[in-house]
Amino acid sequence: MSFIESGIEHLGKVIKTGYVQWESASENGFFQRLDARIKVLFLIFFIVIVSLKRELLPEIAIAFFVFGLTFASRLNILNFYGRVLFLGFVFGFLIALPSAFNVITKGDIILPLIHFSKPYDLWIYHIPATIGITGEGISVVAMLTLRVINSVSLSFLVLYTTPFADIIRALKVLKVPDAVLMIITLTYKYIFIFAKTIEDMYLAKKSRTASGVSSKDARRWVAGRIAFMFKKSRQRCEDVFNAMIARGFSDTVMLYGFKKMNKLDAAAGFALFSAGIIFLWI
Amino acid sequence: MENIIRVENVSYKYYGKIPAIEDVSLSIKEGERFAVIGANGSGKSTLLQIMNGLIYPSSGRVFFRDKEVSEKTLKDKGLLKFFRGGVGYVFQDSDVQLFCPNVLDELLYGPLQLGISEGEALDRAHEVMQMLNIENLRDRPSYMLSGGEKKRVAIGSVLTINPEVMLFDEPTNGLDPRTQCFLVELLFALGEAGKTIVIATHDLSLVDELHCSVAVLSEEHRLEKTGSAEDILKDEELLLKVNLVHEHMHCHGPSAHRHIHSHYLFHKH
């Protein structure tokens, strides 16, 4: 049953993460006070800049800039950068690591690792006599890792400082239809509700289990619960649709829009846009 | 007083086979407090859903202010708006009813769907938040609410529509005593404000407290009797027949004994 227990534990973490997101988004920091539309546009603009830059210096400058914003938003820096660096390591460093070798990135070897008696040619691949890490390769790995770190930290900064409801509504700026926003909202909400149901089902089973359970039985139980959750979600879907109809839904969803932006939003929006232009220029 | 809802010989079968309601006829007057009571599975919730035009009867007819409510008639947008604006439904499970991003959105959803301007909808939402004492929950998503808070928001989401009739499905189910008390007071206040209140429940204490007109459904899904709360709650034979009272162990001070009794209006040894 250990794999079930760890799976359930993971679901519990999903719930906790949602709560932490809501808590941090309710803090009174710099980014939390900004209009969600500004933050969504800032995120898209800066992700584009991060992807366009081809030198290390501007990427490092952007990383420091995001660090400053995170600090000003009173987020838990250790927790925040723990997640960012982990994702940067897995999806940036490890994936880009082969590019450090002269087999992929040509250049001057600064750290030779393997020596062969002669170079080999296999189909379209050329394997040189000495395989090692090149200076150019290190630059490529650093560049890709920094890009991932910057993209992830920008995304987390917006996610942790904006209530989920406001992020969804801000997507209206990008002309996403209200019906799609409603679907995303419902999906997000039911992840929490069903995660709780799954946890309860598991605990109900655990409270009645006195001896060990074979892997086969455990798998059978999981399969049965998956089918149960599938049926339950279908039933819920019908119930929610009825609830929407009862409150006047006929064919189009209309969600409440945004209030007007204030001076702080306008000033911060201008400052962030200017910073983006500077990063583009350097 | 004029009948606001009329149900005529309504029957409903789930999947066209399993009977949920059998030949039920009743009428509810404007401004009345009305309870549909019955044991589990007697068809109370189904009857309420039929009254709200969420499901349509297999046979029989339903009227709201003398206008027939059916799949065919509700295709008329004008009637649909009139009906949805006139009859609100508070679901038993608040999680089903709360599907918007946060509490304010929940309160605004109904009015905006009915074409009410954003300004007026916001005014209504603030008024309802004040009335239900949920102003502090305004920006909270529904999964961050307690059971009692969810129920308040669910009621608020219907109140902002300002319907003439409010249908409550098992309103006190799963609520703590304080929230139950709040709910009873709210139902009284809504009644005083001229709303027609219809509840489906097996909670006899609620029927007793609200002192409403009552329709009793049997376990055979038929209308067994209609009458005042006092008449129905005194009718031991009827309550026994529809399985709403039964013999059970209970205490009188330090001694406990078993016999058939109700906690409301009669308690015979």
Side-chain angles (χ1 to χ4, degrees):
Chain A
M1 291 290 277
S2 61
F3 72 94
I4 301 179
E5 196 140 13
S6 62
I8 301 285
E9 213 170 274
H10 191 74
L11 271 171
K13 275 186 189 160
V14 169
I15 299 174
K16 205 176 154 204
T17 308
Y19 188 73
V20 169
Q21 192 268 356
W22 183 78
E23 283 272 281
S24 63
S26 314
E27 286 271 332
N28 193 23
F30 167 63
F31 240 54
Q32 286 89 335
R33 274 179 290 180
L34 291 187
D35 189 291
R37 285 168 292 186
I38 300 271
K39 287 186 264 187
V40 167
L41 290 175
F42 156 82
L43 174 64
I44 295 167
F45 184 43
F46 269 71
I47 294 260
V48 170
I49 296 170
V50 165
S51 313
L52 286 178
K53 297 315 287 181
R54 302 206 169 271
E55 282 152 29
L56 280 174
L57 198 66
E59 291 288 352
I60 292 169
I62 292 171
F64 275 107
F65 179 65
V66 178
F67 177 81
L69 291 176
T70 310
F71 190 75
S73 306
R74 298 182 189 174
L75 294 176
N76 182 334
I77 298 282
L78 279 180
N79 188 303
F80 184 89
Y81 275 99
R83 283 161 190 251
V84 167
L85 292 177
F86 174 74
L87 290 172
F89 177 75
V90 175
F91 296 105
F93 181 76
L94 287 185
I95 287 177
L97 189 60
S99 313
F101 297 93
N102 62 335
V103 182
I104 294 175
T105 310
K106 302 283 177 242
D108 299 329
I109 296 174
I110 54 169
L111 181 64
L113 294 172
I114 303 169
H115 295 284
F116 297 112
S117 53
K118 57 172 185 166
Y120 293 94
D121 283 301
L122 292 170
W123 190 34
I124 53 170
Y125 299 106
H126 173 74
I127 298 175
T130 304
I131 295 178
I133 293 172
T134 63
E136 289 82 350
I138 288 177
S139 296
V140 170
V141 173
M143 189 70 199
L144 280 172
T145 308
L146 266 174
R147 270 186 190 169
V148 173
I149 286 176
N150 281 341
S151 304
V152 171
S153 55
L154 281 163
S155 309
F156 279 5
L157 175 64
V158 173
L159 276 175
Y160 285 165
T161 55
T162 320
F164 181 74
D166 287 354
I167 296 177
I168 291 296
R169 208 176 289 124
L171 293 176
K172 273 183 164 218
V173 181
L174 306 175
K175 301 286 173 207
V176 179
D178 283 358
V180 175
L181 300 182
M182 181 66 92
I183 291 167
I184 300 172
T185 305
L186 279 173
T187 309
Y188 186 75
K189 178 188 160 174
Y190 277 98
I191 287 173
F192 288 92
I193 292 177
F194 287 139
K196 183 81 184 78
T197 310
I198 291 167
E199 198 180 359
D200 289 347
M201 283 192 302
Y202 172 70
L203 291 178
K205 182 178 172 58
K206 194 177 178 183
S207 74
R208 284 182 288 147
T209 307
S211 59
V213 177
S214 71
S215 282
K216 191 181 166 190
D217 285 343
R219 280 197 301 276
R220 192 175 292 155
W221 182 80
V222 170
R225 292 305 88 192
I226 289 171
F228 170 77
M229 288 308 295
F230 183 67
K231 277 186 189 168
K232 200 174 166 76
S233 58
R234 273 201 61 184
Q235 182 59 47
R236 268 295 160 102
C237 172
E238 280 171 30
D239 291 343
V240 171
F241 184 63
N242 274 343
M244 288 172 76
I245 287 177
R247 274 155 69 193
F249 170 75
S250 51
D251 47 13
T252 44
V253 179
M254 276 168 281
L255 285 179
Y256 169 56
F258 268 97
K259 56 182 186 294
K260 279 188 178 171
M261 282 192 211
N262 57 31
K263 281 180 184 167
L264 172 78
D265 293 324
F270 179 73
L272 292 171
F273 180 74
S274 307
I277 296 292
I278 292 169
F279 287 126
L280 263 180
W281 181 63
I282 57 172
Chain B
M1 283 253 188
E2 200 186 321
N3 285 336
I4 194 161
I5 288 185
R6 209 166 76 240
V7 173
E8 283 181 1
N9 308 106
V10 160
S11 296
Y12 184 84
K13 287 185 172 68
Y14 281 105
Y15 312 109
K17 280 182 193 167
I18 307 160
I21 293 286
E22 289 275 14
D23 197 26
V24 169
S25 298
L26 53 87
S27 45
I28 298 165
K29 290 189 171 58
E30 204 179 326
E32 194 173 20
R33 286 195 298 271
F34 195 95
V36 180
I37 64 170
N40 287 339
S42 58
K44 307 180 292 288
S45 301
T46 307
L47 185 59
L48 241 64
Q49 289 191 17
I50 289 173
M51 284 184 197
N52 196 226
L54 297 177
I55 52 176
Y56 303 104
S58 315
S59 62
R61 301 200 296 170
V62 181
F63 297 88
F64 169 63
R65 287 216 173 274
D66 289 330
K67 292 191 168 59
E68 189 175 359
V69 177
S70 67
E71 197 167 5
K72 195 177 157 193
T73 58
L74 286 185
K75 279 183 181 148
D76 172 12
K77 294 254 177 190
L79 180 69
L80 181 69
K81 208 167 166 180
F82 170 71
F83 179 65
R84 293 285 171 228
V87 185
Y89 190 109
V90 180
F91 283 70
Q92 182 179 347
D93 182 355
S94 303
D95 272 330
V96 163
Q97 194 160 351
L98 306 180
F99 47 77
C100 292
N102 62 19
V103 170
L104 181 64
D105 286 312
E106 290 295 350
L107 301 181
L108 294 174
Y109 182 88
L112 292 181
Q113 296 303 309
L114 294 171
I116 291 164
S117 71
E118 219 165 83
E120 197 191 327
L122 269 171
D123 287 345
R124 284 189 189 188
H126 286 123
E127 213 172 291
V128 166
M129 277 194 280
Q130 225 167 14
M131 178 183 173
L132 299 176
N133 203 11
I134 51 172
E135 289 150 300
N136 55 328
L137 308 176
R138 187 195 135 108
D139 297 317
R140 222 184 263 193
S142 61
Y143 52 83
M144 297 288 177
L145 302 175
S146 71
E149 288 169 342
K150 277 182 191 171
K151 186 56 99 182
R152 283 176 197 236
V153 176
I155 293 172
S157 73
V158 175
L159 278 176
T160 48
I161 298 172
N162 196 19
E164 292 177 273
V165 182
M166 288 187 74
L167 309 170
F168 290 84
D169 190 3
E170 302 283 6
T172 52
N173 234 13
L175 298 180
D176 61 46
R178 204 172 63 133
T179 315
Q180 283 191 26
C181 197
F182 162 81
L183 194 94
V184 172
E185 280 175 13
L186 179 70
L187 292 176
F188 266 118
L190 292 173
E192 292 291 313
K195 304 265 181 227
T196 307
I197 306 291
V198 184
I199 56 171
T201 186
H202 49 231
D203 181 356
L204 298 184
S205 67
L206 184 63
V207 175
D208 185 29
E209 277 184 274
L210 287 176
H211 224 76
C212 39
S213 307
V214 183
V216 186
L217 291 182
S218 69
E219 288 187 301
E220 290 73 41
H221 318 289
R222 291 181 177 278
L223 183 64
E224 204 61 41
K225 190 178 175 180
T226 52
S228 68
E230 200 174 5
D231 285 345
I232 300 292
L233 294 178
K234 270 183 181 167
D235 194 338
E236 184 179 346
E237 203 179 320
L238 169 75
L239 296 180
L240 256 174
K241 187 181 171 192
V242 297
N243 225 351
L244 282 170
V245 293
H246 54 98
E247 181 182 302
H248 65 271
M249 182 72 80
H250 62 283
C251 294
H252 290 280
S255 63
H257 64 179
R258 292 176 73 90
H259 66 91
I260 297 160
H261 82 282
S262 159
H263 294 277
Y264 313 101
L265 296 178
F266 67 83
H267 186 125
K268 291 182 284 183
H269 289 100

